[in-house]
Amino acid sequence: ENETQTRDFGSNVDIDGKNVIVGAFRDDFGVGSAYIFTLQNNGTWIQTAKLTPSDGEDDDQFGRHVVIKRDTVFVGSKNDDDNGSMSGSV
């Protein structure tokens, strides 16, 4: 198992135009993260952002589900427990 598999990088992906968001819900002991990449005019993709939760805890699974629409992103945190055990959040 390599590091990409361990983080589950790419287990959920969404594309809108020249932007793509990639979830990595097991990154950082399951806290999770999401990466945004933008297609450049020369045809290459560059990482433009790495999103992490401000209050992340082990196994929150931030990045389990991701959506990008124009300049707005939605990132699901399946096991976030701010509103009760594993209540989840976006």
Side-chain angles (χ1 to χ4, degrees):
E1 211 172 28
N2 65 37
E3 184 180 349
T4 301
Q5 291 170 323
T6 303
R7 295 181 299 156
D8 278 315
F9 182 87
S11 60
N12 198 269
V13 175
D14 193 34
I15 299 172
D16 185 48
K18 292 185 175 187
N19 297 305
V20 62
I21 186 168
V22 180
F25 72 90
R26 289 193 184 160
D27 199 12
D28 194 21
F29 301 99
V31 172
S33 61
Y35 296 81
I36 298 176
F37 297 88
T38 302
L39 181 62
Q40 303 303 295
N41 290 334
N42 65 4
T44 61
W45 291 91
I46 63 163
Q47 180 182 325
T48 53
K50 178 181 178 182
L51 308 176
T52 58
S54 60
D55 64 346
E57 296 181 12
D58 289 357
D59 201 36
D60 273 356
Q61 297 188 8
F62 182 87
R64 178 70 127 162
H65 302 284
V66 294
V67 174
I68 189 166
K69 295 295 176 207
R70 293 187 261 320
D71 62 352
T72 303
V73 298
F74 300 91
V75 181
S77 187
K78 179 183 175 194
N79 293 338
D80 183 39
D81 58 6
D82 289 352
N83 292 310
S85 179
M86 291 196 238
S87 55
S89 64
V90 175

